[in-house]
Amino acid sequence: MNIFIIGSGTFGTAIANELARNKDNEVIIFSRSEIKKKEINNFHTNEKYFPEKKLNDSLICTNQYSDVQNAAIVFIVLPSASIVENLKLFSPYISDKQVIVNLSKGILTNGDTIIEFLQKELVSNNITTLKGPSFAVEIMRRADTLMTLGYLNEKHKQLIFKIFRNSCIYLEATK
């Protein structure tokens, strides 16, 4: 499954690395930084957030916004304070056929939830959300982690459960 992760901070890196462990997943993580892109691709590290931790060799990093259009599933792992400005750079390349998985938390300054913003900005009904009492450092250590998937479409639920198979992240779901 082609997966694109928007956000190469602690949680984005941890999720991308764990998803890349599944041989059926092709995972690309986005970073605006050319230096970080080269570090992840050449050395399989993200030293700023995980010193001395090796990332999965199959994890690829890009800094091209348009690369998102090749993914079946797009994970959004951005701080809520920067999600509006960043998503506007990706939205021309995201289609309503892609499944969006939101991991960003918070409420925007206008009172909208992030899901409400994503539905408007991406003009999509394929938006799910993944939340849980989880920490990036624990995921990188491969500690068993439980997260809850909020979804509307049963096919989306099955797809998300499938890509997390054989990972340390266990999912429960709710509509």
Side-chain angles (χ1 to χ4, degrees), residues 125-138:
N125 291 320
N126 294 336
I127 299 173
T128 64
T129 192
L130 198 54
K131 306 287 187 226
S134 51
F135 296 96
V137 68
E138 291 178 352

Side-chain angles (χ1 to χ4, degrees), residues 96-128:
D96 63 353
K97 304 221 181 323
Q98 293 170 301
V99 176
I100 308 300
V101 182
N102 170 54
L103 281 98
S104 298
K105 300 175 186 169
I107 296 177
L108 302 177
T109 55
N110 68 357
D112 281 352
T113 66
I114 292 176
I115 294 295
E116 290 168 335
F117 163 73
L118 293 174
Q119 288 169 331
K120 291 175 200 170
E121 179 66 27
L122 302 177
V123 191
S124 175
N125 291 320
N126 294 336
I127 299 173
T128 64

Side-chain angles (χ1 to χ4, degrees), residues 159-172:
L159 185 64
I160 303 303
F161 273 61
K162 181 178 178 181
I163 65 171
F164 277 100
R165 237 182 247 147
N166 301 320
S167 76
C168 71
I169 299 171
Y170 298 88
L171 301 178
E172 60 183 9

Side-chain angles (χ1 to χ4, degrees), residues 84-97:
V84 172
E85 68 181 80
N86 281 293
L87 250 291
K88 292 200 181 292
L89 300 168
F90 286 99
S91 61
Y93 306 107
I94 296 176
S95 83
D96 63 353
K97 304 221 181 323

